[in-house]
Amino acid sequence: MKIVYTGIESSGKSLLLSRQAEKVRQRNIKWFKVTGLKRTMAFNSPMNPNFIKLIEDSNINYLSFKNLDDILYLEECDIFIDELIKYFPASGSNSLTNEQLHFITQGAKSGIHLWGASQDFSQVHKQFRLLVNEVYIRKPDSARGASAAHAFRYGNEHRSHAGRSWQA
């Protein structure tokens, strides 16, 4: 299963990924109670240390990754990728290795569920786009903006950006 959120910057894509991660954590708790099997939740962006502790305390493996090769051979895993274009670029038809193509075409057979976000879905590799189950287009949410996603990932810290500041 592959689900992608797309839209312009500050439209809430990362926030949706974070909210979905919590729903998946709850699902994985039930999965562990029924089967006794641990799933892995893998993230390419930094998560709040409290959320990481919640994951680990829920009998779920937490994994942070920086490149696609780190997750190619995982099984029974929920993967959250912010900015899909960094991992699945559309530039050139041969931009992905055979192992990477196998991962995106055969991952579901290994229990891989992937959620991703991209500002421009058309710039994501064609083979990946063809295999996406659902695409959600986000419109800007002026009431929340980037600060809400930032707060979920980094905790309630005061941040400053481009001359303006906000309290998360």
Side-chain angles (χ1 to χ4, degrees), residues 103-117:
F103 173 75
I104 62 174
T105 58
Q106 303 298 317
K109 293 178 183 175
S110 302
I112 300 294
H113 296 168
L114 190 145
W115 287 266

Side-chain angles (χ1 to χ4, degrees), residues 25-52:
R25 185 186 74 84
Q26 295 294 330
R27 184 206 66 192
N28 288 347
I29 291 170
K30 293 175 187 172
W31 174 258
F32 181 77
K33 287 178 183 175
V34 171
T35 66
L37 300 173
K38 284 185 169 186
R39 284 187 64 87
T40 298
M41 292 180 72
F43 301 86
N44 75 321
S45 56
M47 298 304 286
N48 184 313
N50 294 331
F51 186 66
I52 294 171

